[in-house]
Amino acid sequence: MFVSENLSVNENGHLTIGGIDTVSLAERYGTPLYVMDEQLIRKNLRRFHESMQKYYDGKGLVCYASKAFSCLEMCRIVASEGDGLDAVSIGELYTAVKAGFPMEKVGFHGNNKTDEELRFAVENGVGHIIVDNISELHRLEAIAKETGTKPHIMFRIKPGIDAHTHDFVKTGQIDSKFGFALETGEAFEAVKEAVSCENVNLAGLHCHIGSQIFDIAPFEEAARVMLGLIAKIKNELNYEIKELNLGGGFGIKYLNEHDPVPFENYLERVSKVVKSECAELGIAHPFILIEPGRSIAAPAGITLYTVGARKEIPNIRTYVSVDGGMCDNPRYALYKSEYEAIVANKADEERSEKVTIAGKCCESGDLIGENMPLQHAESGDIIAVCATGAYNYSMSSNYNRIPKPAVVFVNEGESRIAVKRETLDDIIRNDM
Ligand SMILES: *Cc1c(COP(=O)(O)O)cnc(C)c1O
């Protein structure tokens, strides 16, 4: 019945997350409320790093893609598991620094990093800077020279893989703003230049083919293509690329009918391809990095809302309006992303209707979803939207000057605030 393994129903008929009653969480902390289950975050991280151990002799690093969900507490949890982190802006880097994250395990991404961001990364000892384009390489070289550092870099490559996912989250094909193109020779030319750079150390190559991908074949294909480039670099430039970063994008279960492959299968199959391809090409096994974001955070989170108005429009639809919306979850408005919802205080009842859950923003497109099976919801009920742990809080906004909800972590029967609810004074704090 539930999309995530940490959800259940208790003796009061209430939805629970990590064993805690969601209705009591809503009462205690208010709504809207993001709730994250620490145990499931840890378990998801371990599934990836244990499979790295099992299928690739531990010769790799799992770097959680913090754009999925970042805050100090999340960085601390990832650090305590011994995993790495992926950041795409100075804000995500700053969060990691302030959380005491070991910065040598951090990769810094982005297709248009500013000099300020590059300098911040270099000065804070970021482990890898994933260089996206040639002008960035030149700017980074200058910054490295000026600061007397020699940053480790990777090149982001567009391997030309068409992963079957939404257009907006597809990144591996040639028409993408991310990375160096392979087919045109752009990538190889850039490698040639970097190999002779004195101020940077070209350690690896990176690709990320998209997000919410259900099929392992495109990942296998991407690994093949990247290893082909590593072999070409070895043969033609006599230079050894030691690291291969294969990105993230592993699909998760948002709807009951989704059936993603277990996370373990990914490294089981991809490491097989890597090993056989390396043997064939006569190259050493690279150190492998992967960057799961959604698959770590999304299943661990839910959002709780209180129902306000209910509008039945005969023969058209029923609107159930909640006290949040596109300001805390813009994904339906952006991509028509679908979710499962449950009336948390009626979780043991049949989901007898199909409704549109609407937000409170001044925008007709402000919907959490349409045609959503739901228990009969009335004013005052608590609705839980499931698997919202990724790309919800991190994509939230203050549209309509709505304060952002709090984030509460649950762990072993306890709950604690990880991010405070914004106050009205937070809304005007930068106003002059
Ligand atoms: C977004 C992103 C990820 C994470 O993708 P998920 O789909 O959340 O796993 C990893 N690497 C890069 C470079 C990204 O841009």
Side-chain angles (χ1 to χ4, degrees), residues 227-382:
L227 289 163
L229 179 57
I230 290 177
K232 181 176 155 87
I233 293 165
K234 184 186 174 213
N235 297 335
E236 296 182 25
L237 304 177
N238 194 26
Y239 187 86
E240 191 187 359
I241 297 286
K242 296 203 172 73
E243 300 179 349
L244 176 58
N245 188 329
L246 292 167
F250 319 118
I252 67 124
K253 186 171 176 135
Y254 279 112
L255 298 179
N256 283 321
E257 66 254 37
H258 288 164
D259 188 19
V261 292
F263 301 156
E264 291 79 3
N265 294 21
Y266 166 75
L267 274 168
E268 181 180 11
R269 283 181 47 186
V270 169
S271 57
K272 220 175 263 173
V273 168
V274 170
K275 286 177 186 171
S276 69
E277 212 60 20
C278 285
E280 193 148 314
L281 296 165
I283 55 176
H285 293 173
F287 187 86
I288 287 186
L289 298 101
I290 59 168
E291 303 171 326
R294 183 193 312 277
S295 47
I296 304 298
I302 59 170
T303 309
L304 299 175
Y305 301 102
T306 302
V307 175
R310 179 185 167 100
K311 265 180 207 161
E312 291 180 26
I313 308 175
N315 303 321
I316 310 233
R317 64 167 95 203
T318 297
Y319 283 101
V320 172
S321 291
V322 295
D323 53 354
M326 66 190 295
C327 41
D328 60 78
N329 181 0
R331 292 188 70 253
Y332 191 77
L334 270 175
Y335 324 112
K336 288 237 178 301
S337 300
E338 296 181 282
Y339 292 91
E340 296 284 351
I342 297 156
V343 177
N345 50 306
K346 298 173 178 169
D348 56 348
E349 293 176 19
E350 195 75 19
R351 293 198 294 177
S352 54
E353 330 185 300
K354 284 203 167 173
V355 303
T356 293
I357 300 182
K360 63 185 272 101
C361 296
C362 202
E363 185 99 34
S364 299
D366 169 30
L367 306 175
I368 298 296
E370 295 168 277
N371 268 314
M372 299 174 85
L374 197 68
Q375 293 86 352
H376 184 81
E378 293 160 317
S379 184
D381 283 342
I382 303 296

Side-chain angles (χ1 to χ4, degrees), residues 63-68 86 88 109-110 130 156 169 171 178 206-208 210-213 245-251 290-296 390-391:
C63 295
Y64 166 65
S66 72
K67 74 172 191 267
D86 194 36
V88 292
H109 283 281
I130 295 91
R156 172 144 187 177
V169 291
T171 52
F178 297 104
H206 171 277
C207 68
H208 170 72
S211 201
Q212 185 62 358
I213 299 168
N245 188 329
L246 292 167
F250 319 118
I290 59 168
E291 303 171 326
R294 183 193 312 277
S295 47
I296 304 298
Y391 305 113

Side-chain angles (χ1 to χ4, degrees), residues 3 27 123 205 207 265 400:
V3 285
E27 277 166 12
E123 285 170 353
L205 299 180
C207 68
N265 294 21
N400 290 169

Side-chain angles (χ1 to χ4, degrees), residues 12-87:
N12 299 324
H14 293 177
L15 180 73
T16 63
I17 176 165
I20 296 193
D21 189 316
T22 57
V23 178
S24 63
L25 287 173
E27 277 166 12
R28 178 165 172 197
Y29 298 103
T31 58
L33 185 69
Y34 298 109
V35 185
M36 298 292 289
D37 178 0
E38 179 173 342
Q39 287 304 314
L40 191 53
I41 292 168
R42 291 184 183 277
K43 181 175 174 186
N44 291 339
L45 286 167
R46 285 176 200 163
R47 288 179 67 180
F48 282 105
H49 69 229
E50 281 166 10
S51 63
M52 184 73 83
Q53 198 66 42
K54 183 167 175 194
Y55 299 110
Y56 202 64
D57 310 314
K59 204 184 165 191
L61 184 67
V62 176
C63 295
Y64 166 65
S66 72
K67 74 172 191 267
F69 170 75
S70 174
C71 65
L72 293 174
E73 191 63 356
M74 187 66 180
C75 290
R76 290 183 203 116
I77 289 170
V78 176
S80 77
E81 290 293 329
D83 297 311
L85 198 80
D86 194 36

Side-chain angles (χ1 to χ4, degrees), residues 166-187:
H166 193 287
D167 274 350
F168 291 179
V169 291
K170 207 158 79 174
T171 52
Q173 74 288 5
I174 189 155
D175 181 9
S176 165
K177 70 171 183 168
F178 297 104
F180 294 92
L182 193 60
E183 296 103 302
T184 60
E186 182 190 28

